[in-house]
Amino acid sequence: MSTSPPVALSIAGTDSGGGAGMTADVRAFAVCGVHGAVAVTAVTVQDSLGVSGFHPIPPDVVAAQIRTVAGDMGVDAAKTGMLASSEIIAAVAAVCDEVGIGSGGIPFVVDPVAASMHGSPLLADDALDALRTELLPRATLVTPNLDEIALLTDVKVVDDASAREAAVALHDLGARAVLVKGGHLEALSGRRQEECVDLLSVDGDLHEFRSERLDRPHTHGGGDSLASAITAGLARGMSLVDAVGLGKRYITRAVENSYPLGAGHGPVSSLWAAAL
Ligand code: PLP
């Protein structure tokens, strides 16, 4: 290839099992047509059964990774995943301001990761406030699941009306656009859901993205993959609505093709995209 592709930057943790975190992010970036750069925030010790430990990277090293990539190759869009601590969040916020990521500049997707699907914490308890006050106001888009909404706001999403209320609460915290991911609604509402409905609130408009609910046990890394595919779309210059459409197509294929691995939950897949 003689021209440079768009660059998307993942600011996220590793997953030694290769299912979630920056491993999932870089796969989604590649499948969605952009080069993936990474600023590692934490190393997790992890397999299909869960996270048995994590080791945060020093905040100045996280910031240096972002600064050096932005300075050399440029960043067309960035996303955050696991941020581990309030100190790392503060360092990310400061360097994003320095290089022009977020706050209406380079598109910035904040996936407010708090815990793994097994319930292991991926963010220190005292860091939620930093996420609220330092990252949401800089975010082009925030992509919480329903558990994360309950942690960040006092809204419990159980239906369409409360999903809209959650979007308003997250806008009030400063996020320019909000994607309320309805995937966990069945567990919270106690009602069988035939579809997964994600609600995008942007520029005063609401857009629904619907897909058939797939009952798959292997969805590890799903949230990371969706946010990354959206980030890739933004790096390619798509509108937010089109980028979320791309994200939804990617995650639907990835869940459809998810595979068992190890004794626990396997990951969503990008292997269907292999051409060789
Ligand atoms: N590990 C890392 C490093 C992550 O960033 C994430 C999610 O963001 C997870 C694990 C959890 O993924 P899941 O909730 O799909 O298990």
Side-chain angles (χ1 to χ4, degrees):
M1 191 186 270
S2 56
T3 55
S4 304
V7 175
L9 171 66
S10 164
I11 305 168
T14 66
D15 170 358
S16 46
M22 47 138 297
T23 39
D25 295 353
V26 171
R27 283 195 291 273
F29 290 160
V31 171
C32 295
V34 305
H35 176 82
V38 294
V40 178
T41 56
V43 172
T44 73
V45 181
Q46 184 168 181
D47 59 23
S48 69
L49 294 167
V51 181
S52 49
F54 77 72
H55 303 270
I57 302 296
D60 60 322
V61 178
V62 176
Q65 294 173 80
I66 298 169
R67 188 179 296 114
T68 198
V69 167
D72 172 38
M73 52 186 74
V75 170
D76 296 293
K79 72 150 287 229
T80 60
M82 172 184 185
L83 291 169
S85 72
S86 53
E87 292 79 10
I88 291 177
I89 292 174
V92 168
V95 74
C96 282
D97 287 353
E98 191 186 307
V99 303
I101 292 173
S103 307
I106 296 166
F108 187 36
V109 176
V110 173
D111 187 20
V113 172
S116 78
M117 66 193 295
H118 309 88
S120 314
L122 297 173
L123 184 70
D125 289 341
D126 67 359
L128 267 180
D129 212 43
L131 204 54
R132 266 189 220 104
T133 58
E134 304 217 40
L135 280 196
L136 292 192
R138 291 175 167 82
T140 309
L141 173 70
V142 60
T143 60
N145 62 31
L146 302 189
D147 299 328
E148 291 157 355
I149 287 173
L151 288 173
L152 290 168
T153 72
D154 48 20
V155 181
K156 183 175 182 232
V157 177
V158 289
D159 54 17
D160 287 356
S162 45
R164 284 158 204 239
E165 222 181 290
V168 171
L170 290 159
H171 282 303
D172 286 347
L173 288 169
R176 286 162 178 73
V178 179
L179 184 68
V180 175
K181 297 184 295 188
H184 297 179
L185 189 56
E186 190 160 299
L188 283 180
S189 69
R191 277 180 285 112
R192 162 89 195 139
Q193 308 288 321
E194 300 300 331
E195 288 185 310
C196 272
V197 184
D198 297 340
L199 183 72
L200 174 66
S201 171
V202 57
D203 294 333
D205 290 325
L206 292 171
H207 306 262
E208 279 188 356
F209 294 84
R210 293 177 174 273
S211 56
E212 183 196 347
R213 168 171 289 279
L214 301 167
D215 286 318
R216 298 282 197 281
H218 307 301
T219 57
H220 180 47
D224 310 304
S225 301
L226 172 62
S228 294
I230 295 170
T231 306
L234 295 173
R236 285 166 52 182
M238 290 180 182
S239 70
L240 207 40
V241 175
D242 288 347
V244 173
L246 170 66
K248 207 52 189 159
R249 288 196 298 282
Y250 177 74
I251 194 61
T252 302
R253 293 286 290 277
V255 172
E256 267 168 9
N257 291 280
S258 62
Y259 45 81
L261 207 59
H265 293 285
V268 300
S269 175
S270 59
L271 300 182
W272 47 269
L276 295 177

